[in-house]
Amino acid sequence: MTLEWQNACKTFTDKKAVDNLSLEVSEGELLVLIGPSGCGKTTSLKMINRLVQPDSGAVFVNGRDVSEVPATELRRHIGYVIQQVGLFPHMSVADNVAAVPRLLKWEKDRIDDRVKELLNLVGLPADEFADAWPSRLSGGEAQRVGVARALAADPPILLMDEPFGAVDPLTREVLQREFLRIQSTLGKTVVFVTHDLDEAIRLGDRIAVMNEGRLAAVAAPGELLLNADPFIRDFTGEDRALRRLARLSVGAAIGEATPITAAGFSGGGESGAPAGSVRTDATLKEALSMMLEAGETSLEAVSPAGRRIGKLTMEDLLESAAGTEAS
Amino acid sequence: MRERFDVVPLAALFLGAASFLMPFAALKENRVVDGLLLNGFQLAGPLYGTVAVLTAFGVLTGVFLMKNGSRRRLLYAAAGVVCFWLTAALLVRAGMMLTGGAAPRVSPAIGFWGLPAASYVLIDHSKKGRWRMWILLVVMLLPAALLLAGGRGEAISVFREWSARKGRFFDELIVHIRLFGMAVISAAVLGIPLGILASRDKRIGEPVTAFVDAVQTIPSMALFGLLMAPLAALSRTFPLLRAMGIRGIGAAPALIALTLYALLPIVRNTVAGLASVPLSAIDAGLGLGMSQRQLFYRVEWPMALPHVLTGLRTASVQAVGNTAVAALIGAGGLGIMIFQGLGQAAPDLILLGVIPLILIAVAVDRSWGFMIRRWVSPGLDMKGLSA
Amino acid sequence: MKRLIGPVLGLASMAVLFIPGILDPVLRFLFPGAGEWVFPRASLLSLAAMHLLISLTAGATAAVIGITLGIAATRPAGRAFLPLIRDASSLAQTLPPAAVLALAIPFLGFGFEPVLLALVLYSVLPVLNNTLTGLETLPEPVLEAARGMGMSRLQVLMRVELPLALPVIGTGIRTSVVINVGTATIGALAGAGGLGSPIVAGLIRDNPAWVFQGAMASALLALMLNALLKAAEKRLQPANMREV
């Protein structure tokens, strides 16, 4: 499923919320919309499931103008997750997850199986949580139910409006990691709104930065951090070079393409590599930190299994940070 | 683990003991004279009185000595049952001590109210599990019921008044229940849709709220009176209405006034209930693809329900009491006996009206409580609504 | 402009009701067939004063009882009584005031006292409930901070808990006073006077004009007290808590 905004505009009373937005999202892509509050990112998101009607321009889902699809029909096939979760307090967790399948009039057995499957998928054992009431859940658990509810009817598109914004940083990181795991198996087309740059860099295939209703830039995270536009520079912050290093693996810097694994996420230096060496699946940010700590300008790069692969030098780091080596 | 010292049942025990020693009943020759006030000890006689006092001491020592919480609760339950039996027994004793007169009777005094109150608190404090409560209730009430059925209670003043007007009493009881029931039903039929409309549209909401608020400031008695004049005029002008039984006095103005009164809690709570639905739930419901109808029936209404039912509860309980006042404009009901009693300075007759009135009010209140527990999803927070 | 409509309307109705020269022709116009118009036994003004006295005395008594019970039930020593107090006060609200009045007359005789008892019993609940809500819903960190800076229990109550709960308690007092003004009309049944007198007399003698003046005067009283107490409540609120 592809998504596209075409010259979409929206004005609230006298403020231009979205100003001539044109943007495409390809099948299976995770696009992050980011920007300062009031930049129009949530309004843009809500145009997709018609919770907001553009004043002019149009939004297309799979090439079809959404304004031609009945709103309820459209929404039942687009998953929607919001920051306040919005679980229905009078329904059990299972009934919350079953909300859309019931709207679609699925058979009872099919709904029951689906609910069980989804609860297990988001890491809430169905035996324990199916009959629980939302008021008993922690913030992280509630948001997992929110994600399960959005995925219930297996919609090809998922809209997420600051879904992890209201939970504590530790839980947020766990939820982000789990969401990436789920996304890697389901491959939905996702539009994800956030104001947290680290979250955008961590999750996004591409990041669209919005400012005062306009699209300021759209790029893959690595490229975005190199963008010289003054607003983007300012938005990405003084430490954007470090943020960029955090996106890149040691392996990539020495020409051995290696994905960053869990160790890269939690910043865990306990990678088990011997002193003076760094694992190829660690991030360059970690490698830099290790160099600074050891007072060295180079480190041995070893594979996760411990095999020596090459040497990571300060030059490699400088090159990567400068972006001559694409991510 | 050592349980906390229970002050509440202890206070109830002292209340029970004090009630035993305070004036319990008055022996009268007829319903107007003052009569002879006797306390529990005097009624029981020296032998049984001493036994009762010693029992009370025994229970108190038991409470202090018993370390086991559940055994102590059993003692409370037993004490509660004894307090209730004692009330019945003392009344019967008093009946046996009547010496004569035109219409000899036993009128309850302060101690009569204290003993059952102590019994209620003790039993309430000992409760554990529903079915045990029922057994307790049967054990408690059966002897009293047998005593009364055996004709031992006929000397009690209220029964004297009752047996003098059995037929009339039941007629008025039915009139009362029908009147307040119809008022609450019409208020619900009118008030819930009004509340829904009011919360949808501000232009309807503001005048509706202003109207029901204004009605509430008019005293119930006055509202009955104010409706008499226009209804009498209508009835004079339109013979059809008169044929339907709509007149200035009687059931019609009473029903209208009672309905208007019951509107306020219902409308206000419906509005508050719908306003209490968080925006995030509505946003989520729409986002999941619910139509406005589905959103209302699946999300908004179930979440507003606890408020709406609480409004109905308040309206019903108030209507029971207000219906008593309706007797003033000839609508009938239990108020008849109350106002006759006031007019004839006959407290026993007042009691005959007031006791069923209170029982109905409490029963209505409890029934709504039961229905709220049944109908409202346990996932919803009922804090601040249970009163 | 809009803010003035209420007070102007209130003053105008007061003038109509309480200046006999104006009331009489108005009633003659509204109820041509009544026979007698202005209630002859006492002036509406003196009846209103009596009415106000009864309802305010009852309101003050209910406030004292309700607040005291509310504070007692939220202290560690009184906590065991909390469910009992809640039960008792909601039962008291279930009892119809007319029933309580009728029950109290045989004990207390006709006059002021039984009316006071009935009103107080009926109006304790709003004050008590709001006191409990106000004291129970205070943010725990605030109380902890107060205890942490070394306040004694009494100081925490007087300097932190009560000031913070005051707006909620104030609303409870207002509710109970407004209820009292309406309910106090039943006082006429016990011969306590007040604006119930023309109503009862009108009902008995079938004179709608009497009923009307009593009803209007007590409704006006209730509305005005409500507005007055609402204004007072706004003053009670600390500046930063207004417009919640």
Side-chain angles (χ1 to χ4, degrees):
Chain A
M1 283 273 172
T2 58
L3 277 173
E4 186 184 0
W5 287 268
Q6 232 175 52
N7 308 106
C9 293
K10 181 75 191 177
T11 306
F12 290 120
T13 50
D14 56 337
K15 192 177 168 293
K16 273 218 148 134
V18 177
D19 190 1
N20 203 19
L21 175 71
S22 290
L23 184 61
E24 276 179 70
V25 190
S26 49
E27 165 106 37
E29 185 183 19
L30 198 162
L31 177 86
V32 175
L33 285 176
I34 193 171
S37 54
C39 71
K41 49 191 194 295
T42 294
T43 310
S44 307
L45 179 93
K46 286 183 169 175
M47 284 179 183
I48 300 171
N49 64 0
R50 290 190 58 188
L51 284 173
V52 167
Q53 210 71 39
D55 297 331
S56 65
V59 175
F60 296 91
V61 169
N62 242 11
R64 196 164 169 210
D65 188 343
V66 293
S67 63
E68 287 163 10
V69 187
T72 53
E73 194 53 41
L74 177 79
R75 291 171 189 158
R76 287 171 199 177
H77 296 100
I78 297 180
Y80 184 50
V81 185
I82 55 177
Q83 181 181 353
Q84 306 87 343
V85 196
L87 293 185
F88 305 132
H90 60 292
M91 296 183 188
S92 68
V93 164
D95 287 335
N96 264 284
V97 177
V100 179
R102 291 222 170 103
L103 291 174
L104 294 170
K105 304 206 160 57
W106 286 14
E107 307 248 324
K108 194 185 170 304
D109 290 348
R110 191 175 162 208
I111 295 179
D112 290 348
D113 291 345
R114 182 66 183 156
V115 167
K116 235 178 246 166
E117 183 190 342
L118 276 167
L119 285 178
N120 291 329
L121 178 73
V122 298
L124 299 174
D127 306 336
E128 194 182 326
F129 285 94
D131 296 328
W133 297 105
S135 52
R136 298 255 178 276
L137 302 178
S138 71
E141 287 165 349
Q143 196 50 279
R144 284 162 195 259
V145 177
V147 172
R149 181 172 69 176
L151 291 171
D154 203 13
I157 299 172
L158 204 53
L159 307 181
M160 306 180 84
D161 191 356
E162 303 202 23
F164 310 139
V167 293
D168 64 274
L170 274 177
T171 313
R172 189 180 314 155
E173 208 166 287
V174 173
L175 288 174
Q176 287 166 352
R177 199 183 314 162
E178 298 222 347
F179 177 64
L180 276 186
R181 170 180 63 81
I182 293 171
Q183 168 65 1
S184 70
T185 58
L186 299 181
K188 306 282 180 197
T189 306
V190 183
V191 179
F192 192 108
V193 166
T194 182
H195 62 254
D196 175 355
L197 187 63
D198 290 317
E199 183 168 71
I201 291 168
R202 210 168 270 167
L203 300 180
D205 293 325
R206 279 194 305 156
I207 300 175
V209 184
M210 292 187 71
N211 185 32
E212 291 175 352
R214 291 169 174 277
L215 186 61
V218 54
E223 292 163 33
L224 186 76
L225 294 168
L226 290 170
N227 194 317
D229 176 82
F231 172 75
I232 302 292
R233 276 186 83 106
D234 196 41
F235 184 73
T236 47
E238 299 285 337
D239 55 347
R240 65 189 202 135
L242 287 177
R243 287 204 157 105
R244 190 170 147 72
L245 290 182
R247 266 294 285 202
L248 303 173
S249 72
V250 169
I254 59 169
E256 283 274 327
T258 318
I260 300 166
T261 57
F265 247 134
S266 48
E270 74 290 352
S271 43
S277 66
V278 63
R279 276 168 50 157
T280 48
D281 61 347
T283 68
L284 287 179
K285 189 179 171 188
E286 286 170 314
L288 176 64
S289 170
M290 289 164 81
M291 283 185 192
L292 292 174
E293 190 165 359
E296 303 276 353
T297 53
S298 69
L299 290 170
E300 296 287 334
V302 298
S303 74
R307 193 167 52 84
R308 190 181 169 281
I309 289 189
K311 211 176 184 83
L312 177 76
T313 64
M314 191 57 92
E315 276 73 43
D316 294 327
L317 285 179
L318 290 174
E319 270 173 32
S320 302
T324 42
E325 206 149 339
S327 58
Chain B
M1 204 180 79
R2 214 187 124 81
E3 285 203 18
R4 276 188 49 175
F5 189 64
D6 341 316
V7 252
V8 174
L10 217 58
L13 282 172
F14 278 112
L15 172 67
S19 305
F20 186 72
L21 297 175
M22 279 191 285
F24 184 87
L27 309 183
K28 297 181 180 176
E29 287 176 1
N30 57 54
R31 79 181 189 192
V32 193
V33 296
D34 268 345
L36 174 66
L37 275 173
L38 294 175
N39 67 22
F41 197 85
Q42 291 163 318
L43 282 168
L47 178 60
Y48 293 115
T50 314
V51 169
V53 171
L54 285 180
T55 314
F57 270 114
V59 171
L60 280 178
T61 353
V63 171
F64 281 108
L65 290 181
M66 273 184 196
K67 292 274 183 285
N68 181 324
S70 69
R71 224 180 273 169
R72 212 163 43 197
R73 269 199 295 275
L74 207 62
L75 189 64
Y76 296 146
V81 171
V82 168
C83 279
F84 195 84
W85 286 351
L86 200 59
T87 315
L90 287 178
L91 274 182
V92 173
R93 272 299 273 201
M96 286 154 62
M97 287 165 78
L98 282 173
T99 45
R105 58 187 61 215
V106 178
S107 279
I110 182 101
F112 167 81
W113 305 103
L115 266 179
S119 162
Y120 174 83
V121 174
L122 281 167
I123 284 173
D124 188 58
H125 205 81
S126 69
K127 74 174 151 211
K128 235 192 173 184
R130 246 154 214 283
W131 61 274
R132 254 202 238 187
M133 202 65 196
W134 286 112
I135 294 181
L136 210 58
L137 273 179
V138 172
V139 169
M140 193 172 89
L141 296 177
L142 201 61
L146 286 177
L147 275 177
L148 293 179
R152 296 292 199 130
E154 65 183 11
I156 302 164
S157 57
V158 183
F159 284 94
R160 280 252 190 279
E161 298 290 346
W162 177 69
S163 48
R165 64 196 88 214
K166 265 184 214 163
R168 180 80 196 274
F169 174 82
F170 283 114
D171 289 347
E172 297 301 351
L173 186 68
I174 286 166
V175 166
H176 197 99
I177 292 173
R178 205 165 49 198
L179 208 53
F180 101 80
M182 277 164 67
V184 171
I185 290 170
S186 1
V189 169
L190 274 173
I192 294 174
L194 259 182
I196 295 171
L197 269 179
S199 67
R200 290 288 121 117
D201 192 340
K202 242 190 159 180
R203 278 167 309 174
I204 303 176
E206 279 174 2
V208 164
T209 327
F211 173 72
V212 292
D213 269 334
V215 167
Q216 208 71 5
T217 62
I218 305 173
S220 56
M221 233 167 48
L223 192 58
F224 289 130
L226 287 178
L227 285 167
M228 285 166 68
L231 279 176
L234 276 177
S235 159
R236 271 197 305 274
T237 332
F238 301 103
L240 181 69
L241 288 180
R242 194 165 52 234
M244 283 164 62
I246 292 181
R247 282 171 304 141
I249 55 163
L255 196 57
I256 295 173
L258 289 170
T259 305
L260 284 177
Y261 252 103
L263 270 181
L264 175 82
I266 296 174
V267 172
R268 191 189 267 169
N269 278 35
T270 306
V271 172
L274 289 171
S276 78
V277 180
L279 275 178
S280 64
I282 292 175
D283 195 13
L286 286 176
L288 294 178
M290 291 184 184
S291 64
Q292 288 293 338
R293 257 179 96 89
Q294 286 167 330
L295 189 70
F296 181 78
Y297 284 114
R298 295 182 190 212
V299 178
E300 294 176 277
W301 180 249
M303 285 175 71
L305 197 61
H307 291 260
V308 177
L309 293 177
T310 308
L312 283 168
R313 182 188 203 165
T314 312
S316 317
V317 172
Q318 281 180 0
V320 172
N322 283 336
T323 305
V325 182
L328 276 180
I329 53 166
L334 293 168
I336 297 262
M337 269 151 306
I338 298 176
F339 292 122
Q340 275 182 3
L342 278 176
Q344 302 166 11
D348 301 332
L349 186 51
I350 297 176
L351 273 182
L352 183 61
V354 165
I355 289 175
L357 190 68
I358 291 174
L359 289 181
I360 294 173
V362 172
V364 165
D365 184 61
R366 291 291 137 103
S367 315
W368 277 115
F370 176 75
M371 282 184 270
I372 288 171
R373 275 195 301 279
R374 272 200 80 131
W375 290 344
V376 170
S377 156
L380 292 177
D381 182 16
M382 287 290 294
K383 237 180 254 157
L385 276 174
S386 47
Chain C
M1 262 316 279
K2 214 175 170 187
R3 289 182 50 209
L4 285 177
I5 295 177
V8 167
L9 223 62
L11 281 177
S13 337
M14 267 177 78
V16 171
L17 281 168
F18 295 129
I19 303 175
I22 304 181
L23 182 61
D24 189 57
V26 172
L27 290 176
R28 276 173 198 275
F29 172 74
L30 285 174
F31 304 97
E36 266 185 289
W37 289 275
V38 176
F39 187 59
R41 259 178 273 161
S43 80
L44 215 48
L45 200 60
S46 67
L47 288 172
M50 187 63 199
H51 199 91
L52 209 57
L53 181 69
I54 299 175
S55 14
L56 288 183
T57 315
T61 318
V64 170
I65 296 176
I67 294 173
T68 314
L69 280 179
I71 292 174
T74 48
R75 300 306 101 188
R79 220 160 249 285
F81 287 93
L82 185 59
L84 187 67
I85 289 178
R86 270 192 207 279
D87 268 12
S89 76
S90 73
L91 183 75
Q93 179 95 21
T94 310
L95 304 181
V100 176
L101 180 72
L103 275 181
I105 288 174
F107 289 102
L108 301 173
F110 278 83
F112 196 72
E113 293 87 351
V115 185
L116 202 60
L117 180 73
L119 292 188
V120 169
L121 265 186
Y122 197 61
S123 56
V124 162
L125 184 74
V127 183
L128 176 63
N129 254 352
N130 283 31
T131 308
L132 289 176
T133 313
L135 291 175
E136 297 263 84
T137 54
L138 294 177
E140 189 52 37
V142 173
L143 299 182
E144 206 142 282
R147 283 191 288 263
M149 64 182 69
M151 288 191 189
S152 69
R153 274 189 187 160
L154 186 67
Q155 285 167 326
V156 175
L157 175 68
M158 300 306 289
R159 299 191 188 182
V160 182
E161 293 182 71
L162 281 182
L164 284 175
L166 209 55
V168 188
I169 300 176
T171 310
I173 295 177
R174 172 166 60 91
T175 314
S176 93
V177 168
V178 173
I179 291 177
N180 278 340
V181 173
T183 324
T185 45
I186 62 167
L189 294 173
L195 292 166
S197 309
I199 299 176
V200 171
L203 287 176
I204 293 169
R205 303 265 300 273
D206 203 6
N207 183 336
W210 291 356
V211 176
F212 180 80
Q213 52 197 286
M216 285 299 117
S218 58
L220 185 67
L221 219 55
L223 286 172
M224 282 186 1
L225 269 179
N226 191 26
L228 219 65
L229 289 172
K230 236 182 196 168
E233 241 169 77
K234 273 217 176 111
R235 296 257 159 140
L236 275 181
Q237 275 178 24
N240 55 347
M241 284 173 62
R242 271 176 213 169
E243 289 302 310
V244 181

